Amino acid sequence: MRGAARYLTVLGIQLRASTAVGMQYRFDFLLEGVMTLFWMVVTLTPLFVVFGTRGAIAGWSYPEALVVVGWFTLIRGILEGAINPSLLTVIDHVRKGTLDFVLLKPFDAQFMVSTAKFDPWRMFDGFGAIAIFVYAFARLGRTPAPLHVLAAAALLLAAVMVLYSIWILVISAAFFAVRIDNLSYFFNSILDAARWPISVFRGALRFVFTFVFPLALMTSFPAMALLGKLDLSTALLSVGGGLAFSVFARLAWGRSIAHYTSASS
């Protein structure tokens, strides 16, 4: 219990430091927020075009597809605001051999590299996602049931675990092949496909986006849970998948740290 309190204290310090740095120039902070809202509108544009002359696509109506876009906006905000800023700095640490400064601290190394930096202005993605949800359910003419909201929140947690684990695996690869920038850009490009419901994809793509790089778990399944269309077995398998990804990523990180050669070696 005392150990958990120490980690929460460190996390609070890191969040306050990132917020102070992010708001050091308030005009830039607001400008970044406005640009985030602009890119959110750009994200919605393909949906406007596709549903312009159609009532539904692959079993999804326009308001239901909007719910998927809302989850995509939220997941992207979490990735670029809370996961990428910290983990991408690990690549430079490995290149320069300066990871020693992290490993020598009396805290878990994975925790320290995962909470080193946050981009607080990405909170605008969260506000945008809520606005999309409100608009989508207003178009549907109903509100989500409390049980469905709880199920969607549990699936959001599973989705974040999977996304974080995938990035830990990518960063772990830096210990063996330093030039992995293109790999991170590749996964960012794949993530863009998560703005579409999984049933839009067919054949091999659907299999890959469900089981290999589980985009369905990140956006489509939480959207289906919020809409009350997801069955219990799929929800439980999704949560189990998130836990399995986390365990695998933890093992890969430990193996990578053992392979690390510092600058002083």
Side-chain angles (χ1 to χ4, degrees), residues 217-237:
L217 193 155
M218 298 178 194
T219 57
S220 292
F221 291 170
M224 291 169 68
L226 197 59
L227 292 165
K229 298 171 64 175
L230 188 70
D231 58 83
L232 181 61
S233 59
T234 303
L236 292 176
L237 285 173

Side-chain angles (χ1 to χ4, degrees), residues 187-202:
F187 281 120
N188 272 319
S189 299
I190 288 182
L191 186 64
D192 278 344
R195 74 183 67 192
W196 299 103
I198 189 62
S199 54
V200 169
F201 302 99
R202 291 285 185 270

Side-chain angles (χ1 to χ4, degrees), residues 93-94 97-100 103 175 255-263:
H93 279 311
V94 174
T98 55
L99 195 63
D100 311 45
L103 299 178
F175 291 86
R255 186 174 179 81
S256 300
I257 285 292
H259 190 268
Y260 172 66
T261 302
S262 72

Side-chain angles (χ1 to χ4, degrees), residues 98-115:
T98 55
L99 195 63
D100 311 45
F101 300 113
V102 178
L103 299 178
L104 291 174
K105 293 179 179 176
F107 292 94
D108 181 80
Q110 184 178 342
F111 171 81
M112 293 305 294
V113 300
S114 302
T115 60

